[in-house]
Amino acid sequence: VELPTTVEGAVEARLRALTDDERLMLGMASCIGQVFWPELVAALYHLHEDHSGHPIAHWSDGSLDTRVEDVLESLERKDMIRRHEDPLFADIEQFYFKHRLEQRKIYDSLALQDRQRFHRLIPQWLERRLPSREGFEEVIANHYDRARSLEAAARHYIAAAATARARYDNQHAIELYLKGL
């Protein structure tokens, strides 16, 4: 057996060993960020379509939530992700990538159009799920920016800048206002 000689080679070998479902879930989770929520990943899975424009057939024969849980457990056993002990939201389970390099590699392997579609859906979920967006405006803006939804990104960058200004974080506020403009 030939073993990888670099860290990047070892990461690539681990990612090649994943099933298609695991790779797809990690790709969606990598778009969310280092920390992600299974509820959001399930929403992305539900909306995911194959290249022909039809919903993925193997999701129709079973419960989506059960399938997402099964894939997450498999990824936990493979030590790719971990359950967050102190989740940000009390009512939503939270996971994180064990290694940032693995998250980056899986993210970079996604097609640009898939990344943009996921980045367009993520802030929509966050806007609906978060009662108060304070502290999340910049995160939402970054997702819209990566989705190339520039008007929505600008609105959220300006809202984030106003929050930073109110906290007397003037340099950060200037940077966010410039991004918004």
Side-chain angles (χ1 to χ4, degrees):
V1 174
E2 190 174 319
L3 296 174
T5 57
T6 64
V7 172
E8 289 82 12
V11 168
E12 288 174 14
R14 279 175 51 97
L15 295 178
R16 278 193 308 269
L18 297 173
T19 66
D20 290 340
D21 288 342
E22 291 169 338
R23 198 173 296 105
L24 179 61
M25 178 178 276
L26 282 179
M28 292 174 177
S30 72
C31 287
I32 298 167
Q34 181 69 24
V35 174
F36 63 94
W37 303 276
E39 182 179 314
L40 176 51
V41 173
L44 292 174
Y45 260 44
H46 185 67
L47 297 171
H48 183 70
E49 295 181 343
D50 66 8
H51 297 294
S52 66
H54 299 93
I56 296 176
H58 60 270
W59 293 121
S60 61
D61 63 347
S63 165
L64 180 66
D65 291 336
T66 303
R67 184 67 188 139
V68 168
E69 287 174 19
D70 291 345
V71 174
L72 284 173
E73 285 177 18
S74 173
L75 290 168
E76 266 188 299
R77 282 191 305 273
K78 292 180 179 182
D79 207 25
M80 304 283 291
I81 62 173
R82 291 192 176 162
R83 208 171 296 269
H84 208 287
E85 297 298 323
D86 187 24
L88 188 58
F89 309 112
D91 60 335
I92 305 176
E93 192 173 36
Q94 185 173 309
F95 285 83
Y96 64 95
F97 283 87
K98 182 177 177 194
H99 301 290
R100 193 174 298 270
L101 184 58
E102 288 177 344
Q103 179 211 0
R104 190 84 239 154
K105 284 280 189 188
I106 198 83
Y107 180 82
D108 291 342
S109 71
L110 290 172
L112 179 61
Q113 69 185 32
D114 288 338
R115 275 190 285 197
Q116 286 181 335
R117 187 174 66 228
F118 297 151
H119 282 299
R120 196 170 37 254
L121 297 170
I122 292 165
Q124 292 172 10
W125 182 87
L126 288 170
E127 288 175 321
R128 286 193 174 103
R129 195 66 168 100
L130 299 176
S132 168
R133 294 186 199 129
E134 188 173 326
F136 284 93
E137 290 289 353
E138 186 175 359
V139 172
I140 291 170
N142 283 325
H143 283 294
Y144 276 128
D145 199 357
R146 289 180 175 192
R148 306 305 298 156
S149 298
L150 300 180
E151 287 181 27
R155 279 193 312 274
H156 289 283
Y157 277 131
I158 290 172
T163 301
R165 184 180 50 122
R167 292 182 179 158
Y168 301 103
D169 188 356
N170 296 333
Q171 185 59 42
H172 192 61
I174 291 168
E175 292 167 7
L176 292 170
Y177 276 126
L178 289 173
K179 283 184 177 182
L181 294 173

